[in-house]
Amino acid sequence: MIEIPKLAVPSIAIAGSRERFPIRRIFCVGQNYAEHAREMGSDPERQPPFFFTKPADAAVDSGMRLPFPSRTADLHHEVELVLALGAGGNDVAARNAPEMILGYAVGIDLTRRDLQAQAKKDGRPWDMSKGFDHSAPIGPLSRGVPPPAGAITLAIDGNLRQAGDLKDMVWNVADIIATLSTYVAVAAGDLIFTGTPAGVGPIRRGERVRGMIVGAEPVDVAFY
Ligand code: MN
């Protein structure tokens, strides 16, 4: 008979600590920077940001070499500020949201863009385009609330591909937590990818991808 498995809780590194942050769920915000919404063919004046999810075990630490994902010929990078919650609740007021933030990190919302385009066309779910294995590389968590402004960038093999500023988010971090908490109870252990600035594009086998936010530890992964 097959044994009942004993599962480990997925986690990410905390900068300057041997402790790790245990992951309960991973939420993501779509089209939270106007320029990126436009490059994806949406009108940011008319369409507010929205949420989707990835499985908790999609998270991988910085420094990993990752297998190139299956079933795609168009793997895209999306560099994002990631929030880590140390508390939560339902219907959180925006003014109370910052005190729930345990820390923040740089993440890459890896996307099988070809599968996502097909899903959009067919009106089908995004899970297989967004929530695949290793689809959420995340750098070490910095404790505290993220800066409201500052450069967020991504480079492939040292060449700059995405450059934005945290101040250009449509929903700021407090709005994101408040809005998400009207759909579900947010909780300690939740990670929230807060959307990507413009400049998303393909990653090829053999390339090294580095995401950066001023003042945070970078995230760095390579694909083989
Ligand atoms: Mn994204």
Side-chain angles (χ1 to χ4, degrees):
M1 219 163 63
I2 296 174
E3 277 187 53
I4 296 169
K6 293 178 180 65
L7 298 183
V9 176
S11 64
I12 56 167
I14 298 173
S17 173
R18 292 174 64 173
E19 287 188 278
R20 294 178 63 81
F21 179 82
I23 304 170
R24 182 168 184 260
R25 298 174 294 186
I26 303 176
F27 296 99
C28 304
V29 181
Q31 301 186 356
N32 197 29
Y33 290 76
E35 256 190 84
H36 171 64
R38 280 190 282 270
E39 79 180 343
M40 297 308 293
S42 293
D43 178 355
E45 307 299 319
R46 297 178 54 191
Q47 299 284 347
F50 53 86
F51 296 100
F52 60 94
T53 63
K54 292 178 188 260
D57 67 357
V60 292
D61 280 315
S62 182
M64 298 286 283
R65 288 183 70 248
L66 303 175
F68 194 86
S70 61
R71 303 290 296 250
T72 186
D74 197 21
L75 176 67
H76 270 209
H77 53 78
E78 298 188 356
V79 65
E80 309 197 6
L81 169 69
V82 179
L83 306 175
L85 300 189
N90 271 122
D91 297 320
V92 173
R95 69 178 181 282
N96 297 329
E99 68 200 35
M100 295 174 175
I101 300 171
L102 179 143
Y104 62 96
V106 191
I108 306 173
D109 168 15
L110 292 172
T111 303
R112 295 195 277 211
R113 194 71 76 199
D114 40 5
L115 296 194
Q116 187 197 32
Q118 190 65 44
K120 284 182 179 178
K121 190 165 153 269
D122 296 342
R124 289 187 174 157
W126 284 13
D127 304 50
M128 294 300 115
S129 63
K130 287 288 197 179
F132 51 94
D133 298 340
H134 317 302
S135 60
I138 301 172
L141 208 61
S142 296
R143 296 295 297 258
V145 174
I152 174 170
T153 57
L154 180 137
I156 296 184
D157 292 342
N159 301 308
L160 189 68
R161 297 291 173 84
Q162 287 187 264
D165 195 295
L166 298 177
K167 72 174 164 45
D168 293 327
M169 287 187 186
V170 176
W171 284 344
N172 63 32
V173 298
D175 294 338
I176 289 168
I177 294 167
T179 308
L180 179 59
S181 76
T182 68
Y183 288 95
V184 294
V186 296
D190 288 347
L191 294 176
I192 308 174
F193 278 69
T194 60
T196 195
V200 301
I203 301 167
R204 296 189 176 82
R205 220 177 276 269
E207 290 182 331
R208 186 163 154 255
V209 184
R210 186 178 176 92
M212 289 155 286
I213 289 174
V214 168
E217 298 270 332
V219 59
D220 209 323
V221 288
F223 291 86
Y224 64 89

